Amino acid sequence: MPSTAGDTPADGEIVAAPFPTLEQGETQPPLSKNKLKKLRRDKAWEEGRDRRKELRKIKNKERKERKRAAADNNAPSEATQEKRKASNGAEFQAAKKPNHCRSVQLPISFVLDCGFDDLMLDGERKSLASQVTRSYSENQKALYRPHLFISSFKGHLKERFDTVLSGHHHSWKGVRFLEGDFEEAAKQADQVMKDDQGGKLAGAFEQTRPAQQTEEGSGSGEVVYLTSDSPDTLTELKPYSTYIIGGLVDKNRHKGICYKRAMDRGLKTAKLPIGDYMKMSSRFVLATNHVVEIMLQWLEVGDWAKAFLQIMPKRKGGIPKDGLTIPDRSPAASTNDGRTDNEASGRNQGKGETADMDDAESVQDKATAENMGSGEQRPPQSEIIGQTDSIR
């Protein structure tokens, strides 16, 4: 307990010294020279506050006037301004990307046959899911858009879309998912193309409209399974027709399975005319989404050479025929692994071309699916993806 006045402090107890006060008649000690200088500086600073404010306003005004004068001196003449406005408008129209335009629905259908679920390993299913996602993305961005169907959508593939990819495919537009096989998808596509909203002849179809008037009137078409084992070559895409692309990443284990599948069902088969426009030192590999992109490009320009040169990855090692030049694109690794035109395989995956499409691809195709579900454009896709038996 602290001591009170008059008490003797206990041992060890700290007692505060009394605060000194001025007795009546005593004066405060004089200030030091440093203290007096500081007080004078503070007083001068306060007295000059208003003047400093006025000087700042004047400097700001002068700076703005200098900027305005410099802009006026560098300004072009009125004639030059008019020319720039005209040229800028033309350049903007020329540089305008197709995906900023409203896409046109065409009376043609693409079916991705995903009925090979039991023939693929987990890493290959991841790759296929990524290719399906990118195919949808490219179709959404296309200037001329076909009807897109995903057949045999079940099993492990559907489970991956529902879980790892968070079910974002449910918000996709312009695509139909079917548990039934590609024949059921083709029948449904035929009905869709004949509806009022089935599409109109435009793009490449507009260029050949006179030859297609009969097909336009009757709504007739054909069903073609794309496979590089076919003896027939696809010369053009026809309206009111359905083209089936096999979705199989098999690492070359199941050779010719797509061709056999089509022949067992009695369907017409064909292969893309890659060999007619590209010189190949060996056979060729294409992913499902690359096949879709090439066909989308043909629907826009009506020229296989331009479609191949625009879409074909440089890493595939193809050389254009007859003096055709490949558009300048970012460099990628070239490889030839001994497969034909669009024959599916993933053999180069083991050589580091595509790794095994495990965690990295899981993150990538999930992010892409999320972008598609929210209506955003996906980021630029990588060419390093799993190979597929898409047109074998």
Side-chain angles (χ1 to χ4, degrees):
M1 180 177 180
S3 301
T4 59
D7 293 341
T8 302
D11 293 341
E13 184 177 354
I14 300 175
V15 179
F19 186 80
T21 59
L22 295 175
E23 297 294 340
Q24 187 175 5
E26 293 184 3
T27 59
Q28 199 170 18
L31 299 175
S32 65
K33 291 183 179 180
N34 290 336
K35 184 65 175 177
L36 291 173
K37 287 181 180 180
K38 184 177 185 303
L39 290 176
R40 285 194 294 268
R41 285 196 303 268
D42 292 345
K43 183 179 179 180
W45 178 264
E46 290 298 327
E47 290 176 351
R49 184 181 296 276
D50 293 338
R51 176 169 173 76
R52 290 195 303 274
K53 185 176 180 180
E54 291 297 326
L55 290 175
R56 284 196 299 269
K57 289 182 179 180
I58 294 173
K59 289 182 178 180
N60 290 335
K61 184 177 180 180
E62 291 176 349
R63 184 169 57 251
K64 291 180 180 179
E65 289 178 352
R66 288 194 301 269
K67 288 184 177 180
R68 190 179 300 112
D72 293 340
N73 293 334
N74 296 329
S77 62
E78 294 184 1
T80 304
Q81 290 180 356
E82 292 298 329
K83 290 181 179 179
R84 285 185 178 179
K85 288 181 181 180
S87 62
N88 288 341
E91 290 174 0
F92 175 78
Q93 293 295 333
K96 193 174 181 181
K97 294 183 179 180
N99 55 337
H100 292 313
C101 304
R102 184 177 180 84
S103 61
V104 179
Q105 181 68 64
L106 300 182
I108 187 174
S109 300
F110 295 171
V111 176
L112 304 186
D113 178 15
C114 300
F116 306 95
D117 194 71
D118 57 335
L119 301 179
M120 293 184 289
L121 304 177
D122 288 340
E124 295 164 348
R125 296 188 188 102
K126 292 179 182 180
S127 180
L128 178 60
S130 177
Q131 294 173 24
V132 170
T133 301
R134 293 169 189 175
S135 297
Y136 165 76
S137 172
E138 294 301 327
N139 191 52
Q140 284 296 101
K141 295 189 299 181
L143 185 58
Y144 299 99
R145 188 178 70 252
H147 299 279
L148 184 63
F149 293 80
I150 314 296
S151 66
S152 300
F153 187 70
K154 52 188 177 181
H156 295 287
L157 181 64
K158 184 178 185 299
E159 180 182 357
R160 178 172 179 78
F161 271 90
D162 289 336
T163 56
V164 177
L165 302 182
S166 305
H168 290 287
H169 65 288
H170 293 298
S171 61
W172 289 3
K173 299 178 180 179
V175 60
R176 294 171 174 82
F177 293 89
L178 287 77
E179 289 190 2
D181 63 9
F182 56 91
E183 284 190 307
E184 180 178 339
K187 292 178 182 178
Q188 190 172 131
D190 184 61
Q191 295 298 322
V192 170
M193 290 184 290
K194 291 178 180 178
D195 290 341
D196 295 337
Q197 303 299 322
K200 63 178 182 179
L201 298 181
F205 294 156
E206 181 71 20
Q207 301 171 13
T208 57
R209 177 184 289 272
Q212 296 165 348
Q213 289 294 333
T214 303
E215 291 177 327
E216 182 181 11
S218 62
S220 61
E222 57 185 3
V223 178
V224 181
Y225 204 120
L226 299 180
T227 164
S228 62
D229 291 313
S230 174
D232 301 320
T233 300
L234 192 66
T235 58
E236 63 177 352
L237 300 181
K238 299 179 180 180
Y240 303 102
S241 296
T242 299
Y243 296 90
I244 304 170
I245 305 169
L248 171 63
V249 181
D250 66 338
K251 294 187 178 181
N252 203 26
R253 294 192 307 273
H254 307 285
K255 297 181 180 180
I257 188 171
C258 289
Y259 179 72
K260 183 178 184 300
R261 191 184 187 97
M263 296 304 294
D264 290 343
R265 304 293 183 93
L267 293 179
K268 180 179 179 180
T269 63
K271 59 186 176 184
L272 292 182
I274 299 178
D276 295 342
Y277 300 93
M278 307 289 290
K279 293 181 181 179
M280 310 303 299
S281 58
S282 62
R283 297 183 296 176
F284 212 80
V285 178
L286 283 183
T288 302
N289 57 298
H290 283 150
V291 179
V292 172
E293 288 180 62
I294 290 171
M295 297 171 71
L296 289 174
Q297 188 69 18
W298 188 94
L299 290 175
E300 181 176 345
V301 301
D303 189 320
W304 287 116
K306 292 180 180 179
F308 290 135
L309 296 178
Q310 181 67 28
I311 303 301
M312 200 73 73
K314 290 179 65 176
R315 67 185 176 89
K316 300 301 182 180
I319 302 175
K321 288 184 177 181
D322 300 329
L324 297 176
T325 57
I326 298 179
D328 187 15
R329 290 173 291 176
S330 58
S334 297
T335 167
N336 288 307
D337 73 335
R339 305 281 314 268
T340 69
D341 299 342
N342 306 321
E343 196 165 10
S345 93
R347 183 162 50 174
N348 281 338
Q349 290 176 336
K351 300 178 182 179
E353 181 179 356
T354 58
D356 204 13
M357 298 303 165
D358 47 8
D359 296 336
E361 185 186 30
S362 301
V363 175
Q364 187 178 23
D365 59 11
K366 180 177 181 179
T368 305
E370 290 174 350
N371 289 336
M372 295 305 101
S374 62
E376 301 177 0
Q377 298 295 339
R378 65 178 178 84
Q381 73 176 44
S382 169
E383 290 183 347
I384 305 178
I385 54 180
Q387 275 67 37
T388 176
D389 192 15
S390 56
I391 45 179
R392 182 165 58 182

